[in-house]
């Protein structure tokens, strides 16, 4: 025991403590020097790269100084030691800044994730890889893996082959999950893809496999805080309908009201989040690497799809949408929406009144009993209500396919599935009205002008060429037949994509609503003329706008806004005439009124000033070295050596700051 407690043991403890103290001192010194380097360079950079640059400077700086001149003896003159220390500090700082600029140039700031981001990224990559593998397995199970190799494929030339392929695509989307089901639903509303695919993808609206009752019961218990048998007087275990996001069960409240209970599928939120992450990464990659995706605004389109899908997963949004759309339907006969029970609605459960009726897709016998004239009137009313929602109220159903409409025995229509609605501001509605009115007149000039107002225009647009192509489309598809509307709209969208014109997501949703409505109207009345119905709606709207009551209301609204202007107008006119009379009238024009322009000019001026100062300091340093030594400070160092070294260090610092700013600016532009 005495051996362990003797002086050798104490010496070892002292050595260990001394080594730890030295290590901590070196680390703190390195950190302080790194912060000083980052402060001098004037640009906020990551601490790890700054520490690395400081370590390089501390390592290489003394070696360079030792190679240029011998290390002075500790007993040398104090001035020699101070000059050597200053030279060592300047060289070390310059080397560290060179290293930091080189690191910033080779590995830009933000291009490498931090430790926490790396761990999260690895977990996310593992989840995405598992999802990729599952999707590939689904494609292989349905015989679709051969289409991943590209090139032309046999076996899709005949309608039977295309129907078989469309069936495989539809089943693969069902197996792949809700995100791909929703994607298939959107594709099923298009009229520019083969009809076999439209027919199959349309079945995605209501053909999802039902959930077993224990899973539904677990969701209801978790969301409502009690088993469904305690919340409802009765509830049917067999679903009325089963969709990709949720399924619906009939129930009766304790107050005796007949309701339907919409229950979200378990685990949908995390699965959708993973799929949307994959789609977002794919869209951003294509946007960064391809011009067509960048001009098309693919990232924005995917972001809009993701936002709509996330909104659809929160049933509280649908509860609010039901109330909003119902308020817009006041005064409209023949179309209703169910009323929600706010006390029983949560993020994953929606309880609303049960409306009697048959889904439109299966309502052939009901429509047949109504007769041709009644069906035409129902279609006309639905068209007018939907267009009113789009252009008048600004809140509309974005996916009004036959599965989202119920037909009662008396012909009343009920709108269902309002989880995601479109919203248009007043300006967008006005622009859309102008476009629809121009399409009704078949005037290529008016259509072109209205179209360019609706879309997001790039910097360079060949308006003359667009007008010619619009005229060709109108000449080809103009006619009284409703069957011409779908190919005309498809051709118009192809023109928009060809000329790199971006369509705002909500405007695109409005066009999608109108395109989907065409197929729905054909189900109600197969001889209904959509173009003629739109023309009658436009005439009715024009007559209504020109009625004395509407004109009076419009004038009153405009006058209310003009009254404050009119009250101030005489005073302002008097001031202007007085200034003209006495020769004091001045016109002030502010240059660079835009803050972005001022920031650009200021940044440009600062960079130019850095260049001038760096060049001046460098030239003065060279001149001083050439004229050295000058008055001697020590036996070996002249005053010109000292001044030249100081100016050289300042010149290098300014150049490094300029280079880092240039690199950071280039990286920001590339990212944008």
């Amino acid at each position: 025991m005495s051996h362990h407690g003797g002086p050798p043991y104490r010496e070892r403890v002292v050595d260990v403590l001394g080594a730890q103290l030295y290590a901590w001192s070196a680390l703190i010194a390195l950190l302080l020097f790194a912060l000083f380097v980052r402060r001098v360079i004037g640009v906020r950079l990551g601490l790890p790269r700054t520490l690395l640059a400081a370590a390089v400077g501390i390592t290489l700086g003394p070696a360079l100084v030792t190679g240029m001149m011998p290390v002075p003896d500790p007993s040398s003159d104090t001035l020699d030691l101070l000059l050597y220390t200053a030279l060592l500090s300047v060289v070390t700082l310059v080397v560290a800044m060179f290293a930091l600029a080189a690191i910033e140039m080779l590995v830009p700031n933000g291009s490498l994730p931090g430790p926490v981001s790396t761990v999260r990224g690895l977990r996310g990559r593992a989840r995405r890889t598992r999802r990729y593998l599952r999707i590939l397995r689904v494609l292989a199970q349905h015989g679709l893996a051969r289409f991943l190799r590209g090139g032309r494929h046999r076996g899709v030339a005949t309608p039977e082959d295309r129907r078989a392929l469309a069936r495989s695509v539809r089943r693969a989307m069902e197996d792949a999950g809700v995100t791909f089901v929703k994607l298939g639903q959107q594709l099923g509303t298009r009229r520019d893809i083969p009809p076999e695919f439209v027919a199959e993808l349309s079945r995605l609206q209501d053909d999802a496999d039902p959930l077993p009752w224990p899973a539904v019961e677990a969701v209801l218990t978790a969301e409502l805080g009690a088993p469904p048998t305690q919340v409802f007087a009765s509830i049917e275990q067999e679903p009325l309908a089963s969709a990709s996001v949720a399924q619906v069960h009939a129930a009766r409240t304790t107050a005796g009201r007949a309701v339907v209970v919409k229950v979200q599928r378990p685990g949908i939120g995390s699965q959708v989040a993973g799929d949307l992450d994959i789609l977002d990464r794919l869209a951003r990659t294509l946007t960064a690497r391809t011009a067509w995706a960048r001009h098309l605004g693919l990232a924005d389109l995917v972001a809009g799809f993701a936002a709509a899908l996330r909104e659809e997963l929160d049933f509280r949004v649908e509860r609010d949408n039901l109330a909003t759309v119902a308020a817009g339907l006041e005064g409209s006969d023949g179309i209703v929406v169910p009323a929600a029970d706010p006390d029983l609605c949560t993020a994953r459960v929606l309880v609303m009144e049960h409306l009697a009726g048959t889904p439109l897709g299966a309502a052939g016998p009901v429509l047949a009993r109504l007769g041709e004239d009644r069906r035409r009137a129902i279609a006309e009313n639905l068209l007018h209500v939907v267009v009113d929602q789009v252009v008048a109220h600004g809140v509309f159903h974005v996916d009004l396919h036959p599965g989202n409409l119920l037909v009662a025995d008396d012909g009343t229509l009920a709108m269902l599935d309002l989880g995601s609605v479109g919203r248009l501001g007043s300006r967008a509605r006005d622009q859309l009205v102008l476009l629809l009115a121009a399409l009704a007149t078949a005037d290529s000039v008016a259509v072109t002008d209205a179209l360019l107002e609706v879309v997001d225009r790039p910097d360079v647009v060949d308006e003359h060429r667009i007008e010619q192509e619009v005229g060709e489309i109108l000449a080809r598809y103009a006619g009284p037949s409703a069957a011409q509307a779908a190919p005309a709209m498809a051709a118009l969208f192809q023109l928009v994509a060809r000329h790199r014109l971006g369509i705002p997501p909500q405007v695109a949703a409005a066009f999608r609503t109108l395109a989907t409505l065409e197929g729905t109207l054909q189900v109600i009345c197969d001889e209904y003329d959509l173009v003629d119905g739109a023309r009658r709606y436009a005439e009715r709207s024009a007559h209504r706008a020109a009625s004395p009551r509407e004109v009076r209301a419009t004038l009153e609204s405009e006058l209310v806004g003009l009254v404050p202007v009119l009250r101030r107008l005489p005073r302002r006119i008097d001031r202007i005439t007085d200034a003209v009379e006495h020769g004091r009238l001045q016109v002030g024009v502010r240059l660079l009124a835009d803050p972005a322009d001022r920031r650009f000019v200021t940044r440009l001026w600062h960079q130019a000033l850095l260049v001038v100062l760096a060049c001046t300091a460098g030239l003065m340093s060279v001149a001083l070295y050439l004229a050295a030594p000058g008055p001697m400070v020590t036996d070996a160092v002249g005053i010109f050596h000292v001044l030249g070294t100081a100016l050289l260090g300042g010149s290098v610092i300014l150049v490094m700051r300029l280079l880092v700013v240039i690199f950071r600016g280039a990286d920001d532009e590339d990212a944008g």
Side-chain angles (χ1 to χ4, degrees), residues 307-350:
L309 189 51
R310 292 191 185 99
E311 186 176 285
E312 191 171 349
L313 293 179
D314 189 347
F315 289 170
R316 293 169 298 187
V317 175
E318 182 171 358
R319 174 200 62 195
D320 298 337
N321 291 341
L322 287 170
T324 303
V325 174
L329 288 175
E330 290 183 359
S332 300
D333 296 329
I335 298 181
V336 297
V337 294
D341 189 335
D343 296 331
L344 296 177
C345 293
T346 68
R348 296 196 296 163
V349 173
L350 177 67

Side-chain angles (χ1 to χ4, degrees), residues 235-253:
I235 184 170
E236 298 292 335
Q237 296 188 7
E238 290 296 323
L240 293 174
S242 181
S244 55
V245 171
Q247 66 183 37
V248 178
H249 294 258
R252 188 170 293 276
T253 65

Side-chain angles (χ1 to χ4, degrees), residues 431-567:
Q431 294 171 345
L432 196 59
V433 168
L434 292 176
L435 179 58
L436 295 176
L439 288 172
T441 61
D443 184 351
S444 62
V445 177
V447 172
T448 302
D449 292 340
L451 179 64
L452 293 177
E453 288 294 326
V454 170
V455 301
D456 293 330
R457 298 178 50 162
D459 295 334
V460 179
V461 179
D462 189 351
E463 295 189 21
H464 181 67
R465 180 61 182 167
I466 293 176
E467 182 181 331
Q468 287 182 335
E469 295 184 13
V470 167
E472 294 174 2
I473 293 173
L474 294 176
R476 182 183 307 168
Y477 296 108
S481 175
Q484 301 293 328
M489 193 63 69
L492 199 61
F493 273 106
Q494 291 172 2
L495 180 147
V496 168
R498 187 163 55 250
H499 288 272
R500 311 300 189 193
L501 305 176
I503 299 181
Q506 291 301 328
V507 175
F511 280 116
R512 175 191 166 196
T513 296
L514 298 177
T516 306
L517 181 64
E518 180 196 5
T520 303
L521 295 176
Q522 293 296 305
V523 174
I524 298 175
C525 180
D526 55 2
E527 296 182 359
Y528 183 74
D529 190 332
L530 176 63
V531 175
D532 190 54
R535 188 178 294 113
R536 287 194 298 272
Y537 172 84
E539 293 174 353
R540 189 188 72 173
S541 300
H543 287 308
R544 184 172 55 190
S547 65
R549 181 178 179 181
E550 290 294 329
V551 171
R552 178 180 177 181
T554 303
L555 289 176
E556 290 177 352
S557 176
E558 294 294 333
L559 285 175
V560 168
L562 282 175
V563 165
V565 178
L566 294 175
R567 292 180 61 183

